[in-house]
Amino acid sequence: MSTHQSQPPLVSYLSGERSGSAQASVLGDLRRVILDGSAAPGTAIPVGEVADLFGISAIPVREALKTLIGEGLVGHQTGGGYFVAQLTLTELKEIYFVRGVLEQAALSRACELATDDDLDRARRQHEALQEATIAGDRRAYHVHSRLFHRALAAPCGMLRLLNMFDSTWDITEPFQVMQRATGPTQLQLHSDHEKMIDAMARRDAGDLISIAQAHHRRLESVIIETAAELNVAREDQPPPR
């Protein structure tokens, strides 16, 4: 398991602010730091230091960490403490596959129900992606990529499906995969997005799903091509469960 000692410790990214219960405050702050990619996969989460920062005992910190373990965002190893969850390359690809299946199910239904306002929301995210590509802002590209896909899927109105979709996306967030996409790859993905909006506007679910599948294959290629940069665990040493 990598400890990423060259990076600032996870505690340095926490606000330590209390809002609501101690457990809820720690949970929200840790989740924020993990999801925005501040703490790379494998980064240690020192219970004592987190508790000291919030001025609380270790008990609510451990309870918050249990919740994050259930969400797939934190790992725990007996004798080795807690850490930002790691995945092997195979596991990361598997999560992307599951996410793709969930997204395609949502898109199939959303294509029937999307309103003009829904399409406008997707177009605004599409434009934000284009601006990020032009500016070379990979972090903004990563953020708006998720917002674009969520905007296209949301009109399906199936809350449980959307929650599962969001949960699988959260698991991949610490890896910040879309920040690794190069300019040419971003342009290809951008073209896919444009075609997806067009297919949804035409209510052509078949074409929309076909484009989404091709788009997903491109995303998988980004994972494979940039695996060395993604802080994935070694295949022969999978992260503890």
Side-chain angles (χ1 to χ4, degrees):
M1 180 180 67
S2 174
T3 57
H4 301 278
Q5 295 179 354
S6 62
Q7 296 187 355
L10 178 141
V11 175
S12 68
Y13 296 108
L14 297 173
S15 69
E17 296 179 359
R18 296 278 296 274
S19 58
S21 70
Q23 182 179 332
S25 298
V26 173
L27 177 62
D29 215 8
L30 282 172
R31 187 186 284 122
R32 172 187 59 80
V33 167
I34 293 171
L35 292 181
D36 70 13
S38 296
T43 300
I45 305 176
V47 173
E49 292 180 30
V50 174
D52 289 344
L53 179 66
F54 282 87
I56 58 178
S57 73
I59 295 175
V61 176
R62 290 196 179 94
E63 290 302 313
L65 289 168
K66 287 180 183 178
T67 298
L68 293 171
I69 288 173
E71 294 176 5
L73 297 178
V74 166
H76 179 256
Q77 187 173 30
T78 303
Y82 297 89
F83 53 91
V84 179
Q86 284 189 300
L87 298 172
T88 64
L89 179 58
T90 297
E91 289 170 328
L92 184 59
K93 288 166 62 179
E94 179 182 344
I95 292 295
Y96 263 84
F97 173 79
V98 172
R99 195 176 91 190
V101 171
L102 293 170
E103 181 175 23
Q104 289 158 36
L107 291 177
S108 180
R109 180 67 170 161
C111 195
E112 302 174 19
L113 301 176
T115 65
D116 289 342
D117 286 343
D118 291 325
L119 289 168
D120 285 342
R121 277 188 282 273
R123 290 188 181 103
R124 285 195 292 273
Q125 293 303 327
H126 179 63
E127 290 168 1
L129 279 166
Q130 185 175 36
E131 291 172 2
T133 299
I134 293 171
D137 188 339
R138 294 191 178 188
R139 184 172 183 81
Y141 187 88
H142 177 90
V143 170
H144 288 289
S145 177
R146 178 170 187 170
L147 292 174
F148 171 80
H149 284 271
R150 189 59 165 76
L152 274 190
C156 77
M158 303 170 73
L159 296 183
R160 290 182 179 83
L161 174 57
L162 291 172
N163 284 338
M164 288 189 288
F165 177 54
D166 286 336
S167 294
T168 55
W169 202 301
D170 283 349
I171 292 172
T172 66
E173 280 295 78
F175 296 90
Q176 298 285 293
V177 173
M178 295 316 300
Q179 288 207 50
R180 318 297 179 187
T182 62
T185 299
Q186 287 182 357
L187 291 175
Q188 289 180 319
L189 296 173
H190 191 71
S191 177
D192 291 340
H193 291 161
E194 195 167 275
K195 293 175 183 176
M196 290 166 75
I197 294 174
D198 180 63
M200 183 171 281
R202 290 185 283 105
R203 310 295 178 184
D204 189 337
D207 194 28
L208 175 59
I209 298 306
S210 178
I211 297 166
Q213 290 172 339
H215 183 70
H216 186 78
R217 288 192 291 272
R218 283 194 219 283
L219 293 177
E220 188 175 75
S221 71
V222 173
I223 296 172
I224 295 170
E225 291 168 6
T226 62
E229 306 170 34
L230 292 178
N231 296 311
V232 294
R234 285 170 45 185
E235 295 289 345
D236 59 343
Q237 292 183 347
R241 301 291 185 183

